[in-house]
Amino acid sequence: NASATFDDCEWSDQSTGTASVLIYNGDGSTDSEGNLLPFEEGSMLVDFFGCSFSDHSNLMLGAIFNVGGMSVIVDSVFQDISSEASVVSSINNGTISLSTSCFVGISVDIPGTVFVDDSSTLNFNLDNFGSGNEGGNGTCNSIFDEGSGLCLPFEAG
């Protein structure tokens, strides 16, 4: 039942740590196997409008790590970031929406500058741009959809 909106914010020069922003389904409800239940209305929602994430290195989980919540990223820039995980990830039934955002100079250890696991949903990928990005072992340098196994291009209009 929580939400947050970041408007025109800047996260820069983070040289170690877990993630710049961790979004977690605050309900914490799990199924019999311990997996978080799907996003429900009222779970954690975080909006990013006109935000900048830059000059991060050695992050474990990237700039935005969404665990079972909902993240909306609009008019934001991700630049010069190295991370073990993708710069933006959505796992455990999370949802993510990307619009008019830029991903430049990203280096991650797993496939995808943006990672969407097989239980999560990419709601939309509208008018985004990526350049000079490198997924783990030269794999996907844009959006990796684990469910389909596809590397989806940033859809620039």
Side-chain angles (χ1 to χ4, degrees):
N1 293 0
S3 66
T5 298
F6 294 97
D7 192 0
D8 195 29
C9 291
E10 181 177 344
W11 284 267
S12 65
D13 299 314
Q14 184 176 347
S15 61
T16 59
T18 305
S20 298
V21 179
L22 175 63
I23 302 166
Y24 184 79
N25 180 343
D27 179 286
S29 298
T30 59
D31 62 18
S32 61
E33 297 177 10
N35 298 313
L36 286 174
L37 296 177
F39 176 82
E40 299 290 339
E41 189 64 38
S43 293
M44 187 62 179
L45 165 64
V46 180
D47 294 321
F48 300 90
F49 298 106
C51 292
S52 172
F53 296 82
S54 63
D55 300 315
H56 295 338
S57 59
N58 303 314
L59 297 180
M60 288 176 43
L61 300 177
I64 299 174
F65 197 75
N66 176 11
V67 182
M70 183 175 194
S71 54
V72 177
I73 302 166
V74 179
D75 294 334
S76 294
V77 175
F78 298 82
Q79 184 172 355
D80 298 326
I81 299 173
S82 67
S83 175
E84 292 177 29
S86 296
V87 71
V88 175
S89 297
S90 187
I91 66 168
N92 290 58
N93 296 305
T95 61
I96 187 169
S97 300
L98 299 171
S99 176
T100 56
S101 292
C102 186
F103 299 82
V104 177
I106 306 299
S107 176
V108 296
D109 293 343
I110 66 171
T113 298
V114 175
F115 178 83
V116 181
D117 84 350
D118 60 358
S119 69
S120 296
T121 304
L122 175 64
N123 279 346
F124 61 86
N125 167 25
L126 178 64
D127 205 18
N128 297 296
F129 173 81
S131 177
N133 301 321
E134 184 178 326
N137 299 321
T139 58
C140 181
N141 61 8
S142 54
I143 302 170
F144 184 69
D145 179 9
E146 184 182 51
S148 68
L150 297 176
C151 182
L152 307 172
F154 290 117
E155 293 183 2

